[in-house]
Amino acid sequence: MDGMNILVTGGTGLIGKALLGHFCHDHVTVLSRNPNRAYQRLGHHINVISDLDQLNDLNDIDVVINLAGEPIVNKRWSDRQKDIICKSRWEVTRKLVDKIKASSNPPHTFISGSAVGIYGDQKANCIDENCETDADDFAHMVCQKWEEAALEAQSDKTRVCLLRTGIVLAKHGGALARMLPAYQLGLGGPIGDGKQYFPWIHIHDMVKGILFLLKHPETQGVYNFTAPNPVTNKEFSQTLARVLRRPHIIKTPAWVLKAAMGESATLLLDSQRAIPTRLQQEGFHFCFPNLEHALRETLG
């Protein structure tokens, strides 16, 4: 993998930052609205652009990794926030695809983000990448259009891989960092009835999985980026409390969550028992297949 030209969007995010550390011998260009902040976070060995129009085409780029997107859980889903969530994913993706299509020698690989939210609420059903869904909720709609846009780049010159990501476990940033304060105070507990499945993946496996797709040119299409052992929200909550050696007594009823978060509460109440069938079929091995080990490593 020496000396590739890689273009990354979302490079200052949780996954992007962890991934970029692995591209020591490559020429990396990062798209960022705030180049100064990007250089501070990522170092000066990369090239930062603030607008894709700074690149006439992508003839000199080997790989595009598209991780851009406004965090979906940070704020209530007002109409304005929904618009930001959608545009931050769709517009960048469409622009990248247009540039790929306009290139006579386009990137050979386009890896683009998505999320398990595309499946909607699947209760206790085990779901892999073949799951067909008739969901009509916001998260499903965001991911579906995002994936459709990315797949437009597929050709005999460019393969497209889609990352249907679960909840990424990392110490700094992401969902876990927001949950920790309550658990550390002994105020952690299940959400709703706690039976909804919580598809998770350790940040190390997330990054390793993206590098795996890069190294295997035969891979393409949709991949669930979730650990092979999804757990219910109650199991997740109990395990986190145990790892932190804190009590596990406080339940958050669904109505309280809905009052606090509005429609975005579905992200915590919907159930996706997603399993990474295709990654495992391709021969990928998870370093952290089990939750307790993953949490101990993350929080240790």
Side-chain angles (χ1 to χ4, degrees):
M1 281 172 58
D2 274 10
M4 287 194 295
N5 287 325
I6 302 174
L7 172 63
V8 182
T9 73
T12 57
L14 179 68
I15 299 167
K17 227 163 47 179
L19 179 66
L20 287 177
H22 293 264
F23 296 142
C24 308
H25 305 293
D26 303 291
H27 308 284
V28 178
T29 301
V30 170
L31 174 71
S32 173
R33 284 183 306 240
N34 188 332
N36 287 337
R37 194 180 63 199
Y39 281 125
Q40 279 170 358
R41 287 187 183 177
L42 303 171
H44 284 268
H45 58 289
I46 55 166
N47 176 36
V48 179
I49 57 171
S50 58
D51 192 321
L52 283 173
D53 289 334
Q54 289 171 247
L55 304 170
N56 294 328
D57 54 50
L58 302 183
N59 283 330
D60 297 328
I61 302 288
D62 300 307
V63 173
V64 178
I65 301 173
N66 177 32
L67 304 171
E70 168 81 5
I72 199 163
V73 281
N74 284 6
K75 298 174 182 166
R76 281 181 81 101
W77 288 347
S78 62
D79 287 345
R80 184 171 171 273
Q81 185 62 13
K82 281 183 170 181
D83 197 45
I84 292 169
I85 287 167
C86 293
K87 281 184 172 165
S88 65
R89 287 160 174 75
W90 302 345
E91 288 185 359
V92 172
T93 303
R94 285 171 186 151
K95 211 163 188 181
L96 286 169
V97 169
D98 288 344
K99 296 231 177 258
I100 290 171
K101 286 173 144 177
S103 305
S104 54
N105 177 39
H108 58 70
T109 301
F110 181 40
I111 294 175
S112 194
S114 183
V116 291
I118 196 166
Y119 297 117
D121 186 7
Q122 293 291 334
K123 310 297 185 219
N125 299 327
C126 242
I127 44 177
D128 67 11
E129 292 87 352
N130 295 317
C131 172
E132 294 285 324
T133 174
D134 55 1
D136 59 0
D137 59 288
F138 177 65
H140 167 80
M141 187 268 299
V142 172
C143 292
Q144 177 142 18
K145 286 203 178 175
W146 197 11
E147 290 189 7
E148 283 169 2
L151 285 169
E152 291 282 317
Q154 180 81 33
S155 73
D156 51 4
K157 290 183 177 174
T158 304
R159 66 185 172 115
V160 177
C161 297
L162 299 172
L163 316 175
R164 288 184 179 167
T165 308
I167 290 143
V168 180
L169 301 185
K171 187 161 192 180
H172 303 291
L176 188 59
R178 279 199 297 281
M179 295 164 77
L180 282 177
Y183 279 81
Q184 282 161 338
L185 291 169
L187 302 175
I191 292 167
D193 63 11
K195 291 178 185 168
Q196 69 276 30
Y197 273 83
F198 192 88
W200 61 275
I201 184 169
H202 190 289
I203 185 72
H204 178 86
D205 283 325
M206 183 75 219
V207 168
K208 190 180 155 201
I210 294 172
L211 297 174
F212 178 86
L213 294 180
L214 264 186
K215 285 183 191 129
H216 290 81
E218 71 285 357
T219 58
Q220 61 174 304
V222 174
Y223 292 89
N224 283 344
F225 267 63
T226 55
N229 299 299
V231 294
T232 62
N233 173 268
K234 186 178 180 183
E235 284 175 82
F236 184 92
S237 183
Q238 285 172 331
T239 308
L240 180 55
R242 186 165 66 245
V243 167
L244 292 169
R245 297 198 178 122
R246 292 292 187 275
H248 178 260
I249 40 178
I250 306 223
K251 285 184 171 179
T252 305
W255 67 267
V256 170
L257 207 66
K258 285 173 184 164
M261 293 177 67
E263 192 186 342
S264 66
T266 57
L267 290 171
L268 298 173
L269 296 170
D270 284 358
S271 179
Q272 285 117 12
R273 192 178 183 178
I275 49 172
T277 300
R278 291 202 63 219
L279 267 178
Q280 291 186 303
Q281 280 173 348
E282 304 280 7
F284 180 76
H285 293 285
F286 283 81
C287 292
F288 298 97
N290 295 305
L291 179 65
E292 184 155 346
H293 181 208
L295 285 174
R296 286 196 186 285
E297 196 286 330
T298 303
L299 302 172

